Amino acid sequence: MFKRYAVYYTPEPGTPLAEFGSAWLGWDSAERRACEQPDIAGLDVAALTDTPRKYGFHGTIKPPFRLADEHTPEGLQEALATFCTTTAPVALDGLRLARLGRFLALVPQGDASSLAQLAARAVQELDPFRAPLTDAELTKRRAARLTPAQDAHLVRWGYPYVLDQFRFHLTLSGKLDTPTFERAQAALALMLSQLDLAPYRLTGLTLLGEDDAGMFHQIHRYALTG
């Protein structure tokens, strides 16, 4: 049993982007193991990836949630499998390295409305499996100074950055100071230039579970076949 579940986009295991992401973050959620991270002069890769490491390389679709008492993990798997059989792959112009606040991530190029629609459906259709937030969880989330719209989503959907507040991204770092940001950006730009990221297709969704140590493990990856 896992303490929380999440639906993420993860690149297909074995592809160059999946291997890059696992090595960069130091955790392979599909293989459920730690990975050796790159040795880059003047850059502490382990430190700058400490925050996102436990999630593995991913783009959030339905954020982590505790399973409602009346549901089972098997039921959740069946529901996600059904969802994916009615959902088509998403075609993007590409992925690009971007700065989001104080961290680095890969974000879509061009029109990503079809991806936003997929995520909105997943948040809404799978929501019966989510246990309500506790008062402590609400308080913790509200410490981020949410907008009224984000707070309304937090109360209704258990997470503030969904639906109209959704911005798809594959996280590559925690919050960085300016010198570290610049060095990390340069290193990542060089590594990512070796990958073919344009155009880019999202062909599956992954169900993951969080263990007692806070690490996320792939349970199953479902192809989008709608």
Side-chain angles (χ1 to χ4, degrees):
M1 292 292 292
F2 292 106
K3 62 182 183 179
R4 289 195 301 171
Y5 295 87
V7 178
Y8 292 155
Y9 167 71
T10 63
E12 185 174 350
T15 60
L17 182 59
E19 293 181 352
F20 155 78
S22 296
W24 175 256
L25 292 181
W27 175 252
D28 187 328
S29 62
E31 295 291 331
R32 304 185 177 194
R33 63 177 177 85
C35 301
E36 182 178 355
Q37 294 180 273
D39 184 9
I40 301 174
L43 202 61
D44 188 341
V45 178
L48 69 91
T49 57
D50 180 66
T51 299
R53 181 175 304 118
K54 67 178 185 178
Y55 302 99
F57 186 56
H58 78 284
T60 299
I61 299 298
K62 184 165 181 62
F65 59 92
R66 289 178 294 102
L67 194 63
D69 291 339
E70 65 270 25
H71 288 286
T72 64
E74 294 76 17
L76 175 59
Q77 291 182 61
E78 183 178 348
L80 181 56
T82 299
F83 178 90
C84 289
T85 64
T86 62
T87 305
V90 174
L92 299 173
D93 291 345
L95 298 173
R96 63 178 179 85
L97 182 64
R99 177 173 189 161
L100 300 179
R102 290 174 54 194
F103 67 94
L104 286 159
L106 287 176
V107 301
Q109 290 180 314
D111 181 14
S113 58
S114 59
L115 179 52
Q117 292 166 8
L118 179 154
R121 279 187 56 220
V123 165
Q124 295 167 325
E125 294 181 24
L126 298 174
D127 201 60
F129 291 91
R130 180 183 61 84
L133 294 180
T134 64
D135 289 343
E137 289 168 334
L138 282 168
T139 299
K140 181 179 179 180
R141 282 292 179 191
R142 283 171 169 158
R145 299 179 182 178
L146 304 177
T147 66
Q150 291 165 354
D151 192 78
H153 289 330
L154 176 65
V155 173
R156 176 61 185 89
W157 304 109
Y159 195 72
Y161 310 112
V162 295
L163 306 184
D164 60 307
Q165 301 296 307
F166 174 75
R167 299 293 182 271
F168 181 82
H169 59 278
L170 297 117
T171 307
L172 294 170
S173 78
K175 292 181 179 179
L176 305 175
D177 58 36
T178 299
T180 304
F181 182 94
E182 292 173 350
R183 290 193 294 269
Q185 185 177 40
L188 282 166
L190 180 61
M191 287 186 284
L192 290 167
S193 69
Q194 309 302 310
L195 304 179
D196 184 9
L197 300 179
Y200 192 81
R201 280 171 58 85
L202 283 73
T203 60
L205 296 180
T206 304
L207 180 65
L208 298 97
E210 181 186 18
D211 66 19
D212 288 337
M215 306 302 291
F216 279 78
H217 302 254
Q218 176 176 306
I219 298 170
H220 194 80
R221 189 176 189 275
Y222 302 90
L224 295 172
T225 58

